[in-house]
Amino acid sequence: MAALNMIDSTFEVDKLTYEIFSILENKFLFGYGDTENPKNSVPNSTQFPPKDAKPAKQAAGKVRILCIDGAGATDGILAAKSLAHLEDCLRRKSGNPNAHVAAYFDAVAGSGVGGILAALLFTRGRDGLPMFTADEALKFMIDNRRKISPSSGILRRFLRPASSKAEKLFRKTFGECTLKDTLKPVLIPCYDLNTRAPFVFSRADALEIDGYDFKMRDVCAATSADPAKMGPTDVSSIDGRTKIVAVDGGVAMNNPTAVAITHVLNNKHEFPFCNGVSDLLVLSLGNGESDFNAVKSPSGFVRIAGEGASDMVDQAVSMAFGECRMSNYVRIQSNGIMAKANKSTQVKSSKTASDLLAVSEEMLGQKNVESVLFKGKKVVENTNLDKLELFGGELMKEQERRKTSILPTVVLKNASPSPRTSSATTLSTLSSSS
């Protein structure tokens, strides 16, 4: 009898193991799987849907995420140029000449110069709208690139930390605004030398605990503090309880896409119906790839390492999206440094703003490169500009869908009207125009 029970239990375990493997095989190796009817997930050639089959429309819609890389060959101008093109696309498709990028995304993550772009586009201005349009942010990055990313090291022994050009620029731009003053969930990483671990500035954390609310000028200084040129930046929260010694976010996570996706999937308070990658629309913006042959400094090697890590994140995220990566996940990045760009503009440390603009425009005209499961990367027919145009259409579809939807896709937790004098918060449903 005991032997019979042992056989039965072994059979059940084997059966369970088989079913688990079948589900994993269908979902992650082949991109298939019926979550509504798990029994149909057992491998069977007659049950496989065609590759062009589209998943059932989610009643609660899709959460839209914008992610912006840090280090790159264009000092943030490729990402800024991409956003300017996207905003123009959204204005054309919506018929609203004043449409802002921030209105079409539910969360943003940016590292290094990408964190600065995220702050410019998602910090609330005095009129309640974003401080900067995408075109204005592009001009800001062009006009101030030498202050943000100096070509030569600045000896901090001759400068007090608060008097550096970058920190003065951020103080003038953001004033007293804090993380609570951002329009949507914002994630901006840096590396904390105190704890020797990544630290992520988060709007969600700031709304929960005063000790995690930081001034936006300090957030930008922290995420862009080049350890080889500017040295670390001392940053304290508004109440002084949290203190970090920060260096460039690119050291911690040059490509913040993974942390953004993880945040959204686990933040059930603000994204209650988001259960997997099929419920996401993600745009990830790179900043160009550096010419390895031109790297002659420690900071250059740090940049190369950051770009390599960005590629690894891109491949991992792309694989996680599986079949829906073609529509739900878009990565904009240069297809290497082109020979033409090298000959005509000499993309190196002495590059000018006009050079970077020309190179960025040429990169956007490149055919897009995508990761393929077990096959590395391949060049597809669409250019980066084509991908931005198509993704803009997906953003518009989601925006229109929300106007008639009963279920809220996003339930933002908002700060009180006086965020720096009170920690009280309220819950409000994201409107179709937000």
Side-chain angles (χ1 to χ4, degrees):
M1 187 68 180
L4 182 59
N5 289 337
M6 183 178 297
I7 293 173
D8 289 341
S9 61
T10 301
F11 175 77
E12 291 299 325
V13 170
D14 288 344
K15 181 181 178 183
L16 179 60
T17 302
Y18 173 76
E19 290 182 352
I20 290 174
F21 177 79
S22 299
I23 292 171
L24 291 174
E25 184 180 51
N26 283 339
K27 189 171 183 62
F28 296 108
L29 294 183
F30 298 102
Y32 305 134
D34 185 356
T35 56
E36 297 298 324
N37 188 5
K39 292 182 179 179
N40 291 335
S41 295
V42 178
N44 187 314
S45 59
T46 62
Q47 294 172 353
F48 284 169
K51 288 187 176 181
D52 59 351
K54 297 182 179 179
K57 184 178 179 181
Q58 300 294 321
K62 294 180 173 64
V63 176
R64 305 162 298 183
I65 306 174
L66 173 63
C67 306
I68 315 173
D69 278 16
T74 64
D75 293 344
I77 293 180
L78 175 58
K81 190 72 175 173
S82 300
L83 289 166
H85 277 291
L86 178 63
E87 190 169 78
D88 179 66
C89 168
L90 293 171
R91 289 177 174 182
R92 283 188 284 105
K93 292 180 181 294
S94 67
N96 178 9
N98 298 314
H100 290 75
V101 165
Y104 292 85
F105 286 95
D106 306 308
V108 62
S111 184
V113 289
I116 296 171
L117 275 170
L120 294 173
L121 295 172
F122 284 80
T123 301
R124 182 184 291 105
R126 293 181 179 179
D127 57 1
L129 296 173
M131 277 189 173
F132 284 72
T133 65
D135 274 329
E136 291 168 345
L138 172 61
K139 186 176 186 303
F140 179 95
M141 298 302 291
I142 293 172
D143 292 345
N144 299 290
R145 54 182 288 270
R146 288 302 185 194
K147 296 177 182 178
I148 298 170
S149 303
S151 57
S152 60
I154 295 178
L155 299 179
R156 290 178 67 87
R157 63 188 179 191
F158 296 118
L159 293 171
R160 295 202 320 268
S163 65
S164 74
K165 291 182 179 180
E167 288 168 339
K168 281 185 175 180
L169 172 65
F170 298 143
R171 180 183 295 273
K172 179 180 178 181
T173 304
F174 296 102
E176 297 300 309
C177 291
T178 75
L179 282 166
K180 290 182 180 180
D181 294 309
T182 52
L183 295 160
K184 305 285 179 68
V186 170
L187 298 162
I188 299 177
C190 68
Y191 188 85
D192 180 18
L193 295 178
N194 278 340
T195 60
R196 297 184 182 181
F199 183 93
V200 179
F201 298 101
S202 168
R203 176 186 186 270
D205 290 341
L207 292 173
E208 290 291 334
I209 305 172
D210 286 341
Y212 289 123
D213 190 21
F214 293 80
K215 291 182 179 179
M216 292 305 296
R217 66 190 190 214
D218 292 337
V219 172
C220 290
T223 196
S224 61
D226 189 325
K229 297 176 181 178
M230 297 292 291
T233 296
D234 297 330
V235 177
S236 297
S237 60
I238 297 299
D239 61 6
R241 285 188 292 176
T242 305
K243 297 180 180 181
I244 62 175
V245 179
V247 293
D248 192 349
V251 174
M253 51 187 80
N254 198 54
N255 181 345
T257 305
V259 73
I261 291 174
T262 302
H263 174 83
V264 169
L265 291 178
N266 288 281
N267 184 354
K268 293 301 181 183
H269 293 290
E270 295 185 301
F271 310 104
F273 300 105
C274 188
N275 297 312
V277 294
S278 62
D279 298 325
L280 302 175
L281 284 175
V282 179
L283 175 62
S284 176
L285 301 178
N287 271 308
E289 297 177 346
S290 299
D291 182 0
F292 183 77
N293 294 322
V295 174
K296 298 178 180 179
S297 66
S299 61
F301 282 105
V302 170
R303 171 174 287 188
I304 290 289
E307 292 169 19
S310 291
D311 285 342
M312 292 295 291
V313 171
D314 169 44
Q315 185 160 355
V317 171
S318 182
M319 296 305 97
F321 273 82
E323 289 296 317
C324 65
R325 72 180 183 276
M326 303 298 292
S327 57
N328 292 35
Y329 173 68
V330 171
R331 172 71 171 170
I332 303 297
Q333 177 64 303
S334 67
N335 181 12
I337 296 295
M338 299 165 290
K340 182 179 178 181
N342 276 330
K343 292 178 180 179
S344 62
T345 60
Q346 291 298 305
V347 183
K348 55 184 181 181
S349 60
S350 61
K351 56 191 176 292
T352 65
S354 59
D355 289 338
L356 289 174
L357 272 174
V359 170
S360 297
E361 197 67 55
E362 196 165 356
M363 287 176 177
L364 287 173
Q366 286 182 317
K367 289 187 176 180
N368 195 262
V369 176
E370 292 182 347
S371 298
V372 182
L373 187 61
F374 301 140
K375 295 181 181 179
K377 292 187 175 183
K378 71 172 183 179
V379 178
V380 296
E381 288 303 314
N382 291 333
T383 65
N384 282 318
L385 282 175
D386 293 335
K387 300 285 275 188
L388 285 171
E389 189 79 17
L390 292 170
F391 194 82
E394 293 300 314
L395 294 177
M396 283 302 308
K397 288 178 184 178
E398 176 59 23
Q399 193 81 344
E400 291 301 311
R401 189 206 60 78
R402 293 186 186 187
K403 293 179 180 179
T404 56
S405 176
I406 298 176
L407 292 174
T409 305
V410 182
V411 184
L412 289 183
K413 190 171 185 181
N414 291 326
S416 65
S418 302
R420 286 178 294 280
T421 58
S422 171
S423 61
T425 57
T426 58
L427 282 173
S428 65
T429 301
L430 182 69
S431 65
S432 60
S433 62
S434 62

